[in-house]
């Protein structure tokens, strides 16, 4: 993991979900690489320079401690939840880094929400039938997916807010039988 980007999407309580301006509360750090193993294709997508990060990137222990403190501050006593599309990819790296470098996760061991699954459930579709390209356009962020951690975090925060407000096709979320 070479960068961390996060944006507050909103809050949920007994009254429902209240979206936030995803550009208002953000976090971004670029990390010093912790090993020489990497996938060149993944690095190319990110646009990050490993040599520069080896010299200038934040020490992972410092960056992850700052991130944990930021999460606790913006969640202000509520249970923070990491959301992603798909959450499984980012959660795996983020959780491992948090445990490795801080010894704990502000999200607990299971505080993540997969937006792909959320959409599939609300749309009444099997998970295998879901891709961003098949989702109604009004649910998607109008932002470009740049593969920059902060840009993508803001984009995904907008997607979450849209999904939380969407009642599902026909105006009603499907209910289990």
């Amino acid at each position: 993991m070479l960068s961390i980007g996060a944006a507050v999407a909103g809050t949920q309580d007994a009254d429902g979900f209240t979206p936030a301006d995803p550009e208002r509360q953000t976090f971004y750090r670029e990390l010093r690489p912790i090993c020489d193993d990497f996938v060149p294709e993944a690095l190319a997508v990110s646009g990050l320079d490993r040599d520069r990060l080896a010299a200038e990137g934040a020490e992972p222990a410092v960056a992850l401690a700052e991130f944990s403190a930021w999460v606790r501050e913006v969640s202000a006593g509520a249970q923070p939840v990491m959301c992603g599309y798909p959450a499984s990819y980012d959660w795996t790296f983020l959780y491992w880094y948090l445990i490795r470098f801080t010894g704990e996760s502000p999200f607990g061991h299971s505080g993540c929400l997969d937006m792909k699954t959320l959409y599939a459930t609300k749309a009444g579709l099997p998970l295998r039938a879901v891709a961003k390209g098949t989702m109604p356009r009004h649910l998607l962020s109008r932002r470009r997916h740049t593969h920059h951690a902060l840009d993508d975090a803001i984009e995904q925060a907008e997607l979450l807010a849209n999904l939380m407000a969407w009642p599902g096709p026909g105006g009603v979320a499907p209910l289990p039988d």
Side-chain angles (χ1 to χ4, degrees):
M1 185 165 74
L2 296 177
S3 62
I4 300 171
V8 174
T11 57
Q12 184 169 8
D13 58 22
D15 296 325
F17 183 81
T18 304
D21 175 353
E23 292 182 336
R24 195 172 139 261
Q25 294 177 296
T26 63
F27 181 92
Y28 180 74
R29 295 290 183 282
E30 293 181 348
L31 308 177
R32 181 185 56 78
I34 61 171
C35 69
D36 292 329
D37 294 334
F38 67 96
V39 178
E41 296 82 10
L43 181 63
V45 168
S46 77
L48 296 171
D49 181 325
R50 281 182 59 88
D51 292 333
R52 180 184 64 79
L53 293 175
E56 300 172 8
E59 186 65 36
V62 172
L64 274 292
E66 291 172 345
F67 176 69
S68 290
W70 177 81
V71 169
R72 287 183 177 95
E73 178 184 322
V74 298
S75 62
Q79 171 61 48
V81 177
M82 179 274 187
C83 302
Y85 189 103
S88 57
Y89 185 79
D90 293 331
W91 176 255
T92 302
F93 285 98
L94 181 61
Y95 186 78
W96 186 89
Y97 266 73
L98 285 164
I99 298 303
R100 168 68 177 82
F101 291 104
T102 71
E104 62 183 350
S105 167
F107 306 104
H109 66 275
S110 62
C112 71
L113 174 74
D114 178 46
M115 290 187 279
K116 183 175 181 173
T117 303
L118 176 62
Y119 172 73
T121 301
K122 283 189 156 195
L125 296 171
L127 194 57
R128 70 182 173 279
V130 173
K132 280 187 181 176
T134 65
M135 294 172 70
R137 294 181 61 84
H138 71 276
L139 294 177
L140 301 173
S141 171
R142 290 186 289 247
R143 297 171 190 271
R144 214 172 115 248
H145 191 76
T146 65
H147 295 284
H148 180 281
L150 183 55
D151 292 346
D152 292 355
I154 292 169
E155 174 203 10
Q156 290 198 20
E158 289 180 349
L159 175 60
L160 178 66
N162 293 342
L163 284 170
M164 294 300 284
W166 184 55
V172 178
L175 298 174
D177 294 335

